[in-house]
């Protein structure tokens, strides 16, 4: 399917709306699932907005897309960055704070979502290929073999990217956070 999506994306780059619809229909569910995993289940409705904004970004950036990696990996990266934009834009909004205060009370003051935001912010500091591998593996739930197919890299290369990313994150983040969110 990855090869199919590349040919559709090349058509989208030329303004083909039907090809864009095909990509949106093919990956929309995965995009939404990724947004929910990153934003948290308390922001289910916001995930819809993230997907819509991400699709707009895909359409607008299509002419600049280079057929070197997979379309799916490219789109997941856009969803990830859109989620991070959402966090930055709404982190001071009262409704967003209320959700976190509820979580703090229900999780015995263990602010899981704040920790997840810290992890995601630090993932953004990783090199692009490491970001993609970590995002696809841990947040989208793909097995390493599937990640290697999506990113058009060998299984060993993906394994190496994930290991290097985890090592770098271990130097930045608290151990308990990595254990809880990345199962390290």
């Amino acid at each position: 399917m990855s090869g199919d999506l590349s040919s559709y994306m090349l058509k989208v780059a030329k303004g083909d709306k039907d090809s864009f619809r095909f990509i949106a229909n093919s990956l929309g569910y995965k995009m939404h699932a990724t947004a929910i995993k990153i934003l948290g289940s308390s922001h289910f409705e916001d995930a819809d907005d993230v997907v819509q904004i991400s699709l707009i970004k895909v359409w607008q950036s299509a002419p600049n897309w280079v057929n070197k990696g997979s379309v799916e990996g490219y789109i997941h990266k856009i969803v990830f960055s859109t989620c991070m934009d959402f966090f930055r834009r709404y982190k001071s909004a009262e409704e967003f704070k209320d959700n976190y205060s509820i979580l703090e009370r229900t999780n015995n003051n263990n602010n899981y979502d704040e920790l997840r935001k810290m992890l995601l912010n630090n993932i953004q500091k990783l090199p692009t290929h490491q970001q993609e591998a970590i995002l696809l593996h841990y947040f989208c739930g793909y097995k390493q073999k599937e990640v290697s197919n999506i990113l058009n890299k060998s299984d060993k290369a993906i394994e190496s990217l994930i290991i290097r990313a985890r090592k770098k994150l271990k130097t930045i983040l608290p151990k308990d956070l990595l254990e809880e969110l990345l199962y390290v």
Side-chain angles (χ1 to χ4, degrees):
M1 181 162 133
S2 183
D4 291 337
L5 290 180
S6 293
S7 63
Y8 281 98
M9 190 65 171
L10 290 170
K11 292 177 186 174
V12 172
K14 296 177 183 171
D16 186 349
K17 293 177 184 175
D18 290 331
S19 295
F20 178 73
R21 258 189 233 87
F22 179 82
I23 289 174
N25 289 333
S26 298
L27 299 178
Y29 174 78
K30 290 180 181 180
M31 293 170 70
H32 194 265
T34 299
I36 290 170
K37 287 178 184 176
I38 294 172
L39 296 176
S41 59
S42 62
H43 294 282
F44 189 85
E45 295 82 20
D46 298 322
D48 293 337
D49 294 337
V50 165
V51 171
Q52 289 299 324
I53 293 167
S54 297
L55 287 170
I56 291 168
K57 288 179 180 181
V58 169
W59 175 258
Q60 291 173 339
S61 67
N64 301 323
W65 181 72
V66 180
N67 191 7
K68 289 186 179 178
S70 76
V71 173
E72 193 168 348
Y74 175 73
I75 289 175
H76 279 297
K77 180 99 166 106
I78 290 174
V79 172
F80 177 78
S81 68
T82 304
C83 287
M84 299 316 301
D85 291 344
F86 176 85
F87 279 133
R88 281 188 288 276
R89 191 174 306 124
Y90 297 108
K91 69 181 177 184
S92 63
E94 280 306 310
E95 66 182 80
F96 214 60
K97 285 181 182 177
D98 289 344
N99 285 332
Y100 288 123
S101 63
I102 291 167
L103 285 171
E104 286 175 5
R105 287 193 300 272
T106 59
N107 289 335
N108 298 327
N109 293 327
N110 182 9
N111 197 339
Y112 183 79
D113 280 353
E114 285 295 326
L115 294 174
R116 185 169 8 87
K117 278 189 357 185
M118 183 190 335
L119 172 67
L120 293 169
N121 284 330
N122 282 289
I123 287 174
Q124 282 190 303
K125 296 175 185 174
L126 297 171
T128 303
H129 293 301
Q130 289 178 15
Q131 283 182 35
E132 291 171 343
I134 288 284
L135 173 66
L136 290 169
H137 183 62
Y138 288 105
F139 287 90
C140 299
Y142 289 108
K143 295 178 180 159
Q144 285 186 13
K145 176 84 173 154
E146 295 170 317
V147 174
S148 69
N149 289 336
I150 291 170
L151 297 179
N152 294 328
K153 295 190 179 298
S154 71
D155 293 346
K156 287 290 185 189
I158 294 301
E159 182 180 0
S160 176
L161 286 171
I162 290 172
I163 288 171
R164 286 193 313 245
R166 286 172 35 178
K167 280 183 182 177
K168 183 154 186 169
L169 289 171
K170 279 182 183 180
T171 64
I172 301 170
L173 298 169
K175 183 180 178 185
D176 57 338
L177 174 64
L178 288 173
E179 288 173 351
E180 189 168 347
L181 295 175
L182 293 185
Y183 319 111
V184 179

